[in-house]
Amino acid sequence: MKGTVKNFNLDEDPIHNDFKREMIFYRQAQQAVLDGYERLEKLERPTLRPDDYFAEMAKSDVHMQKVRKRLMNKKAGQEMSEKVKKIREIKKFGKRVQIEREQQKHKEKREMLEKVKQFRKGKTDNIDFLSNKPLREQRNRVDGRKTNLRRAMKDRKYGKGGMRRNEKRNNSNDFDDEPRHGGGFQKGGNKFKAGKGGKGGKGGKIHAAKIRPGKRRRQQMKGR
Amino acid sequence: MAKKRARKAVEEEEEEVQTPAAPTGFTPPLTRDSDVPVTKKLKKKWTNKQRVLVFGSRGIGYRERHLMENLRTLMPHSRREVKKQKRDDLRVINEIAEMKNCNKCIYFEMKKKKDFYMWISQVPNGPSIKFLVLNIHTMGELKMTGNCLRGARPLLSFDPQFNEPHWAIMKELFIQTFGIPNYHPRSQPFHDHVYTFTIVDDKIWFRNYEILGADGKLSEIGPRFVLNPIKVFAGSFGGETLWQNPNYMSPNLMRSLVKKNMMGKYLQRRQQKDWNAKRGPAGMIGDPTNEIFQTEANDD
């Protein structure tokens, strides 16, 4: 008796594998469509329904709206779940970054305390750690720019210009700072020399070597 | 794998022979008023007068009733009829169909509110087939997203296995019943859906797809069902049995087998218990070689 060979593997057997079975039906229908349309076109008969042909359909409009609504809800649900997943991912990532930054801060603090301890104990004379070293990024920036010697000289002489951003900070600079030449009071009776103060006011650090002596002193020097 | 049968193709060739004046490249107008009566010309063209009587017995469940309604919407050449009383014989259907001037009939019945049977028959003297219908999904299910013109003629696609003798009768009956006659007054000009009949596991699987594009993109319209053929008769709703399905087991038989299996379990357990009781309790069995050392003591 002629019989069909049945597959014993349940996944392969189209009788039991729903997806496979439906694909068989789908493919059969597709083949039929291709063949049929070919034959109809040979006979010059109309085949596909045009978009502007309005006639009574097998399913009512109300029903088709329900179908459409269901599909849209399904799609919206999928999109929502995807969004939520993404947000969860981003949060995880953000949390990671935050934790890293905190750990970095703690590390720096620990190092600072170590250095202070060592200095206290007298192990190192270096008190560089107290100087406010600029942040890594700033340091990089400064090193990156090539120094124009002429420009640097002018800066030193006349000051950089622009807003005085970091001037009034209670830094170690102030700790190290030697009192200005004369400390505001000039020896030899020149008190409240406006010129000196003015010079200081011109901006920037006062370089001892560059302070110009007064008129009288210059004339004396000239005379010599 | 598919074998396609376009009823239209055969008829068109006939038409060409009879009326050579008929215009080729005839495109129907894009609008058709329902008030406009069918022109005599079209009426003349409609030669394949198939009329199918679709009805059922009393006691059909809701899903099955919806399936019947779906078939009625898909077939504009169908006629409806009231429910048949169960006391009436099946032969009565032939008379009912004759009164309605139908030459085909699809009759549904439900036994015990569980088993759903379908008869397809050529009414006066033709063959008839009885099927058991399973796995019913109607057009109203929201997963069936396709739609088609009401009365559009379908393309019918059959598995190549339908060429074998007993399947061939079914195929011919399906074509004449489900296929809409050419130039039927209630039919629509375009072909935008396709029926597939496939044989898997000795059962016929029916699917209805909407054709979305000429490249073969499809969307399911429904309904979908599985037909398990039981018998092919020579007469309409009775007569000599031409073919009987050897693999068919009536649902009653299946249910009784399942119950017997359950009963079998109980009986087996009972038997086991009785046998154990007969064997007696497991006692101490001594070493049989001890008897050698059991001598009679001589009293002197």
Side-chain angles (χ1 to χ4, degrees):
Chain A
M1 185 157 110
K2 187 174 155 189
T4 49
V5 176
K6 287 185 183 139
N7 225 317
F8 286 114
N9 182 8
L10 278 181
D11 275 343
E12 296 284 320
D13 197 5
I15 298 173
H16 295 284
N17 186 351
D18 289 346
F19 185 71
K20 242 195 167 187
R21 211 194 317 130
E22 295 299 321
M23 281 317 287
I24 291 175
F25 303 151
Y26 195 87
R27 295 266 174 255
Q28 185 184 331
Q30 273 188 329
Q31 194 60 44
V33 167
L34 295 172
D35 282 345
Y37 274 21
E38 213 182 285
R39 289 200 218 179
L40 286 170
E41 263 154 38
K42 253 192 249 173
L43 297 169
E44 291 170 11
R45 306 284 301 169
T47 53
L48 201 58
R49 178 180 86 228
D51 287 331
D52 52 357
Y53 187 84
F54 293 114
E56 192 183 358
M57 307 289 274
K59 296 189 195 173
S60 66
D61 279 343
V62 172
H63 185 262
M64 293 316 287
Q65 290 221 3
K66 265 194 244 174
V67 168
R68 211 170 290 135
K69 205 174 165 187
R70 184 178 170 275
L71 281 177
M72 284 193 5
N73 282 348
K74 206 171 157 193
K75 207 177 173 186
Q78 274 180 346
E79 278 178 11
M80 195 55 119
S81 71
E82 263 191 50
K83 251 193 225 175
V84 166
K85 257 192 222 168
K86 269 193 188 161
I87 287 173
R88 234 183 283 147
E89 281 294 320
I90 288 172
K91 268 196 189 162
K92 276 194 194 162
F93 179 73
K95 190 75 178 169
R96 245 185 283 149
V97 166
Q98 187 190 32
I99 287 171
E100 263 188 41
R101 217 177 276 163
E102 264 196 51
Q103 285 185 340
Q104 191 73 24
K105 242 200 292 180
H106 287 318
K107 197 167 122 200
E108 278 181 11
K109 187 175 176 184
R110 252 183 291 137
E111 282 177 10
M112 183 68 124
L113 288 176
E114 274 283 324
K115 287 188 184 157
V116 169
K117 219 197 291 179
Q118 286 187 346
F119 180 69
R120 277 241 200 97
K121 290 188 181 172
K123 288 196 178 152
T124 40
D125 295 334
N126 218 350
I127 46 171
D128 273 346
F129 61 85
L130 278 183
S131 71
N132 240 22
K133 287 196 186 139
L135 291 172
R136 226 174 288 130
E137 295 102 83
Q138 286 182 356
R139 213 187 294 158
N140 279 343
R141 236 183 279 150
V142 167
D143 289 344
R145 227 182 280 150
K146 283 193 197 153
T147 45
N148 183 355
L149 291 173
R150 184 170 160 275
R151 190 69 254 164
M153 189 266 295
K154 296 274 187 189
D155 280 349
R156 259 179 283 141
K157 190 171 180 187
Y158 301 112
K160 264 198 203 159
M163 291 169 76
R164 318 280 158 80
R165 280 181 204 279
N166 296 324
E167 280 193 5
K168 299 197 176 178
R169 293 276 164 89
N170 193 3
N171 287 342
S172 52
N173 302 337
D174 306 331
F175 184 78
D176 292 336
D177 207 350
E178 259 101 65
R180 280 189 235 137
H181 232 58
F185 294 92
Q186 189 70 353
K187 282 186 188 163
N190 291 347
K191 297 183 185 175
F192 303 123
K193 250 284 156 108
K196 291 267 183 342
K199 258 180 209 65
K202 263 195 192 151
K205 253 181 164 179
I206 301 160
H207 212 274
K210 285 295 175 179
I211 289 175
R212 204 158 154 253
K215 185 171 181 182
R216 202 144 162 259
R217 189 91 174 118
R218 271 184 279 132
Q219 279 173 350
Q220 283 175 358
M221 285 167 80
K222 223 185 188 180
R224 249 186 240 148
Chain B
M1 192 199 169
K3 186 187 186 259
K4 192 245 149 205
R5 161 85 187 227
R7 188 133 188 83
K8 189 187 273 288
V10 173
E11 284 181 0
E12 183 64 1
E13 282 152 354
E14 288 173 5
E15 287 287 320
E16 300 268 275
V17 167
Q18 285 167 14
T19 56
T24 52
F26 159 78
T27 46
L30 288 181
T31 52
R32 187 198 286 195
D33 240 329
S34 52
D35 295 342
V36 170
V38 178
T39 57
K40 268 197 176 164
K41 195 177 181 188
L42 272 176
K43 261 193 177 162
K44 260 199 193 155
K45 280 190 169 182
W46 174 36
T47 48
N48 182 14
K49 305 265 168 89
Q50 298 283 353
R51 285 181 204 88
V52 182
L53 182 65
V54 179
F55 75 122
S57 73
R58 286 187 70 214
I60 294 181
Y62 62 93
R63 201 190 292 270
E64 290 78 14
R65 201 172 3 98
H66 277 112
L67 174 68
M68 198 163 60
E69 275 306 312
N70 290 156
L71 286 181
R72 281 184 186 144
T73 40
L74 289 175
M75 300 199 291
H77 59 300
S78 64
R79 299 266 165 93
R80 41 181 336 134
E81 174 61 43
V82 296
K83 297 180 215 170
K84 177 183 144 312
Q85 301 295 324
K86 284 203 184 146
R87 58 169 173 270
D88 297 336
D89 203 14
L90 277 179
R91 305 274 178 170
V92 164
I93 300 178
N94 295 326
E95 291 159 19
I96 301 173
E98 203 185 328
M99 283 207 292
K100 288 260 170 168
N101 194 15
C102 290
N103 61 349
K104 295 278 187 307
C105 177
I106 299 183
Y107 172 66
F108 293 104
E109 62 179 348
M110 195 141 185
K111 297 261 169 76
K112 287 190 177 178
K113 294 190 189 172
K114 286 184 207 167
D115 316 322
F116 190 53
Y117 298 96
M118 175 165 102
W119 286 86
I120 295 190
S121 128
Q122 161 93 14
V123 162
N125 339 330
S128 53
I129 312 175
K130 185 177 183 188
F131 296 103
L132 175 68
V133 187
L134 308 158
N135 291 13
I136 298 169
H137 295 263
T138 55
M139 265 174 24
E141 294 192 2
L142 290 179
K143 286 197 179 164
M144 314 282 192
T145 50
N147 201 357
C148 65
L149 287 171
R150 188 166 180 165
R153 298 183 61 210
L155 299 176
L156 301 168
S157 162
F158 292 91
D159 207 72
Q161 211 177 335
F162 270 102
N163 293 329
E164 289 164 34
H166 54 270
W167 297 114
I169 300 181
M170 296 185 206
K171 174 176 169 180
E172 193 53 41
L173 258 183
F174 288 149
I175 292 173
Q176 295 186 12
T177 321
F178 289 108
I180 298 174
N182 203 359
Y183 301 117
H184 190 275
R186 273 193 235 143
S187 69
Q188 302 260 19
F190 303 104
H191 297 259
D192 62 348
H193 62 139
V194 52
Y195 294 168
T196 56
F197 297 86
T198 326
I199 298 178
V200 176
D201 193 22
D202 288 332
K203 298 183 185 63
I204 302 171
W205 297 67
F206 173 88
R207 294 282 183 276
N208 178 12
Y209 295 101
E210 176 193 5
I211 302 170
L212 296 170
D215 58 347
K217 210 160 168 223
L218 306 167
S219 159
E220 186 153 7
I221 307 171
R224 42 154 99 168
F225 48 87
V226 178
L227 299 172
N228 191 358
I230 304 173
K231 273 187 180 184
V232 177
F233 297 99
S236 167
F237 294 100
E240 185 198 344
T241 311
L242 295 176
W243 175 79
Q244 196 172 354
N245 188 353
N247 302 329
Y248 173 71
M249 265 202 297
S250 84
N252 274 338
L253 189 61
M254 302 248 314
R255 280 188 286 258
S256 76
L257 280 180
V258 167
K259 280 200 188 139
K260 280 205 180 111
N261 233 1
M262 304 279 277
M263 188 178 70
K265 270 196 215 164
Y266 171 69
L267 279 179
Q268 232 187 357
R269 226 184 294 147
R270 271 279 296 277
Q271 263 181 8
Q272 198 88 3
K273 266 192 185 167
D274 289 343
W275 196 62
N276 280 349
K278 232 191 270 175
R279 269 174 83 195
M284 293 262 290
I285 307 170
D287 192 359
T289 52
N290 276 341
E291 287 183 14
I292 304 173
F293 300 100
Q294 284 174 2
T295 50
E296 277 184 14
N298 281 345
D299 293 344
D300 283 339

